[in-house]
Amino acid sequence: MATASLTEYLFFSGLLFAIGLAGVIIRRNIIVIFMCLEMMLAAASLTLVAFSRAHTEMNHGLPDYDGQMLVFFIITVAAAEVAVGLAIIVALYRARKTISTDTLTTLKN
Amino acid sequence: MPTILFYLFAILTIAGGICVVALKNPVSSAMGMIGSFIGIAALLIGLNAYFVGTLQVLVYAGAIMVLFIFIIMLLDLKKEEGKEFSNGSLAAGIFIPLLFVLITLPILSSVKADFPKLDKAALIAAEVDLPFTEVPETSAIRNKLIDGQLPDVNLIGQKLFTDYNFPLQVVAVLLLVATVGCVTLSKKLHGDEPETDADDRMAKTLARSSAIPQVSIHAMGSVAEETPKVSNEPVEQVELSLDAEPEVKAEEPLAESAKQDEKLGLIYEDRPDYADDLVIINGVGPVLEDKLNSFGVYTFKQIANWSPENVAEFDDLLSFKGRIDRDNWISQAAELYSNKNK
């Protein structure tokens, strides 16, 4: 049976990253922007794992687990980042009563 | 991973991603995100990264998305809808990612790099290849490889606790710092109520002001039955103002420090006892409240009675550009004031 190749995985990751980027630029709701950032991180992780799987031959015939280690740490850091980021958003909402980036323009002028 | 399964999960992931970007309701966005993460987890498992795929489901689709949905529910974001997508950002948000996709397109036309085989024969051969200095004999890794299985978790564990031991401990410190940070950030500020719902805050303010007898002649009517210890204080005064119309200025027992200013409307020189929590008004934060107080504005009623000239003056003083009108302070204040008098 034909299997998906590295090129397909890489292009797919790029596409997912682009969708996340579009979300970050278009959306005005900070929480949704944050979700799109997570999507970009996940797309990058997928690339790392795809390369880890592709480098099997250089690693005694097993996947190269250095790439997966990096993904492991990315997931950990992302979890911590989400916790702190959402705490900041809640604090912001408490102070300003809005989380739309259109109205949060204190630094603009 | 068979190509058909790859495309199935790839489409699920992309569809989820598009839902996140396109749907206006943040809860729908979060649901699309969960679908997207599950698709990514399936793709990871298709890459023989079973442990990372499981982590993806547990941490991303589980913990992180629950946290997101929890916060969305907590913040009550209904009023944010409809303000999305301005034309400029829509154009930039389509053009820049499109450019990115155009850059990644040549990958598809490059040489098709197939993944090396990882079947039973390849795994048994890998066991022979594995140096004994790295993985000792009769270890779980070798036993599984001899059986023709990929010891994914064992290999990750070995890597994590040997080569990546120091980063692992640094991550532990990072998590600790993040925990402390969250606690500090969500600690309530002095006098700031943790409730985000304006009505809840209103109720709190009412209850608080009713605890101080001479403060809330207007609020007392509604709360007097529930707080009997208050009612032996200035009862006659309560009855006087209970049937008063909120619009009539004379009914409000004006403090001595109150005076009518031509530009600023009614202002108080000192903080009156019945000062309101102005932060309840949408658009007024603690900083603005301090500023307003410094100009002598302490109550909803003052704001509700502002004339257009007053508004213009305050716009200048607070260096806003029409924010008072935009956030509708006056009608908000009038409503809050009438609620308070119920």
Side-chain angles (χ1 to χ4, degrees):
Chain A
M1 191 188 282
T3 55
S5 62
L6 177 64
T7 48
E8 282 160 321
Y9 266 96
L10 289 183
F11 180 71
F12 166 75
S13 296
L15 204 60
L16 192 63
F17 189 90
I19 292 176
L21 185 63
V24 170
I25 297 172
I26 295 172
R27 295 303 297 254
R28 288 288 164 267
N29 184 328
I30 278 192
I31 291 184
V32 179
I33 291 178
F34 210 22
M35 282 199 273
C36 291
L37 278 176
E38 293 304 314
M39 197 153 70
M40 291 163 78
L41 272 183
S45 302
L46 189 64
T47 317
L48 285 170
V49 175
F51 275 121
S52 139
R53 176 70 180 74
H55 282 196
T56 297
E57 262 142 24
M58 300 167 201
N59 194 44
H60 316 300
L62 291 172
D64 186 352
Y65 279 93
D66 286 327
Q68 296 197 19
M69 279 299 107
L70 191 46
V71 173
F72 179 84
F73 287 118
I74 288 177
I75 290 179
T76 320
V77 172
E81 172 215 322
V82 165
V84 176
L86 287 177
I88 292 175
I89 290 175
V90 171
L92 187 72
Y93 183 79
R94 227 189 257 163
R96 300 292 197 79
K97 292 275 159 286
T98 178
I99 55 162
S100 167
T101 48
D102 275 339
T103 46
L104 300 172
T105 51
T106 317
L107 288 177
K108 205 171 178 181
N109 293 321
Chain B
M1 180 178 235
T3 313
I4 180 141
L5 277 182
F6 171 82
Y7 280 113
L8 196 74
F9 286 117
I11 288 170
L12 171 70
T13 313
I14 295 289
I18 289 173
C19 280
V20 175
V21 179
L23 295 178
K24 285 187 176 180
N25 187 339
V27 178
S28 317
S29 288
M31 293 302 162
M33 196 76 198
I34 290 176
S36 183
F37 279 148
I38 288 174
I40 291 179
L43 292 177
L44 289 174
I45 287 169
L47 285 169
N48 297 81
Y50 307 109
F51 182 69
V52 173
T54 315
L55 266 191
Q56 183 82 16
V57 175
L58 282 181
V59 177
Y60 269 120
I64 290 183
M65 290 321 294
V66 165
L67 204 58
F68 268 112
I69 293 175
F70 194 72
I71 297 296
I72 292 171
M73 304 280 183
L74 188 73
L75 296 192
D76 184 29
L77 298 172
K78 279 275 152 51
K79 54 181 171 292
E80 298 288 333
E81 289 173 35
K83 290 188 199 166
E84 297 281 351
F85 311 140
S86 70
N87 282 337
S89 65
L90 198 63
I94 289 170
F95 180 70
I96 297 173
L98 212 62
L99 212 64
F100 185 82
V101 173
L102 281 180
I103 295 169
T104 47
L105 260 180
I107 296 175
L108 280 183
S109 57
S110 68
V111 184
K112 206 176 172 196
D114 277 319
F115 290 117
K117 277 203 161 59
L118 207 62
D119 52 11
K120 202 164 173 174
L123 288 170
I124 292 171
E127 196 268 336
V128 181
D129 234 16
L130 217 56
F132 284 100
T133 47
E134 240 177 70
V135 183
E137 234 171 322
T138 70
S139 63
I141 294 177
R142 278 189 191 279
N143 289 342
K144 278 192 180 164
L145 281 176
I146 289 169
D147 287 346
Q149 297 170 333
L150 178 67
D152 185 55
V153 181
N154 308 59
L155 282 166
I156 284 190
Q158 198 214 20
K159 200 86 179 170
L160 192 61
F161 291 108
T162 55
D163 295 356
Y164 287 86
N165 201 17
F166 181 65
L168 184 70
Q169 293 181 43
V170 172
V171 159
V173 176
L174 175 95
L175 288 179
L176 178 70
V177 172
T179 314
V180 174
C182 285
V183 172
T184 321
L185 279 172
S186 48
K187 201 176 62 183
K188 62 174 183 177
L189 304 167
H190 57 93
D192 193 14
E193 303 297 335
E195 278 77 18
T196 48
D197 192 45
D199 290 334
D200 276 9
R201 292 170 61 99
M202 193 62 220
K204 274 270 156 65
T205 320
L206 284 174
R208 196 171 48 203
S209 51
S210 70
I212 312 162
Q214 70 275 37
V215 172
S216 50
I217 334 275
H218 3 264
M220 211 179 282
S222 57
V223 217
E225 295 93 346
E226 291 139 49
T227 51
K229 64 177 171 101
V230 180
S231 57
N232 56 359
E233 291 275 327
V235 180
E236 306 91 308
Q237 249 182 309
V238 175
E239 277 157 9
L240 258 180
S241 62
L242 258 185
D243 41 4
E245 287 293 320
E247 313 303 325
V248 187
K249 199 170 250 174
E251 300 303 321
E252 176 116 31
L254 290 177
E256 282 139 39
S257 65
K259 67 168 185 171
Q260 190 71 32
D261 187 284
E262 275 175 31
K263 282 180 177 164
L264 299 181
L266 182 72
I267 55 169
Y268 294 100
E269 271 162 18
D270 301 314
R271 188 182 181 83
D273 293 332
Y274 43 85
D276 290 318
D277 194 357
L278 298 180
V279 186
I280 296 170
I281 299 175
N282 278 343
V284 180
V287 178
L288 265 183
E289 186 187 27
D290 283 348
K291 269 193 184 170
L292 284 172
N293 286 355
S294 71
F295 292 121
V297 178
Y298 291 95
T299 65
F300 296 138
K301 186 172 179 186
Q302 282 173 288
I303 295 176
N305 285 336
W306 277 353
S307 65
E309 293 84 58
N310 296 152
V311 172
E313 186 65 26
F314 274 103
D315 252 349
D316 276 351
L317 282 174
L318 303 171
S319 55
F320 283 162
K321 297 186 191 94
R323 179 152 156 194
I324 297 175
D325 277 335
R326 191 146 34 91
D327 290 341
N328 245 328
W329 287 13
I330 293 177
S331 60
Q332 280 191 64
E335 193 182 329
L336 287 166
Y337 178 61
S338 63
N339 280 345
K340 199 172 133 182
N341 278 348
K342 268 178 196 162

